Amino acid sequence: MLSPLSLLDAPKAGRALPRSLTKRQAEELLSLVRNESGTTLSRTRNLCVVGLMLLAGLRRGEVLAIEVADCDVERRTLVVRHGKGRNGGAPRTSYMTSQLAVMLANYAQERDCAQPARTHAALLTSTVGNAPLTVDGLRKLFMRWSTALGYRVTPHMLRHTYALLLRQAGVPDRVSMDLLGHHSLSMLQRYSHVFDGEHRDEAAKVFLDL
């Protein structure tokens, strides 16, 4: 007899959940970058690379494409003009945390004083000449940091971590969706991770005065 199951399509594996860092791992990464050897320009720039992904949720391509004119430290705004989606996606405004604003302000001072003078529009510059940071240069940075930390760190993991930090801070999903440049809550939900201890901490918030 013909098995009726042979007429059905085999089930497809579900999409893997995106990985993110824990808060402690994120702090370890920032500490590593802040204390690296090298010039002040390289350290402040690298902190901005991490900060733009970890504290503003920007994608790798968005970080490389952001220009000096798109960054307003006083208002703590970042205009993302080259997002994901058809024809570069719709522009959006991202907002800096106070820590990211300090990182960008410190880097701006070093960039303005760098020699040779940086005349290109890109915010993130090469540390050896008047040229923007490249995809290859960014890849080498993350390979170096992953080796030093002993676990893999990627740009998109930092974006996932930003979404996690928003959730842990109690930011409403609708606001988080806009900050991340998502078009649906279902995509945001894929970024929602629960780490050991979170259930216990949340359950402990239920309290009755006896």
Side-chain angles (χ1 to χ4, degrees), residues 17-29:
L17 287 174
R19 295 183 58 196
S20 64
L21 303 181
T22 64
K23 185 178 180 181
R24 180 184 61 80
Q25 289 173 327
E27 291 167 347
E28 286 178 348
L29 173 60

Side-chain angles (χ1 to χ4, degrees), residues 19 36 46 51 81 85 90 94 101 110 124 128 130 140 150-151 153 164 187 209:
R19 295 183 58 196
E36 276 190 312
N46 292 348
R81 305 183 190 277
S94 185
E110 296 299 324
L124 298 175
V128 295
N130 183 24
K140 290 178 180 178
Y151 49 84
V153 179
L164 172 70
M187 178 59 72
D209 187 0

Side-chain angles (χ1 to χ4, degrees), residues 111-125:
R111 189 186 189 281
D112 290 344
C113 298
Q115 293 297 327
R118 269 48 175 186
T119 59
H120 58 84
L123 175 66
L124 298 175
T125 183

Side-chain angles (χ1 to χ4, degrees), residues 59-67 122-124 132-135 138:
R59 302 176 177 90
R60 182 186 68 175
E62 295 170 346
V63 168
L64 293 175
I66 198 164
E67 299 183 355
L123 175 66
L124 298 175
L133 178 66
T134 63
V135 173
L138 191 65

Side-chain angles (χ1 to χ4, degrees), residues 158-173:
L158 300 189
R159 176 172 161 82
H160 297 168
T161 305
Y162 175 65
L164 172 70
L165 294 175
L166 289 175
R167 181 177 65 80
Q168 291 178 334
V171 176
D173 284 350

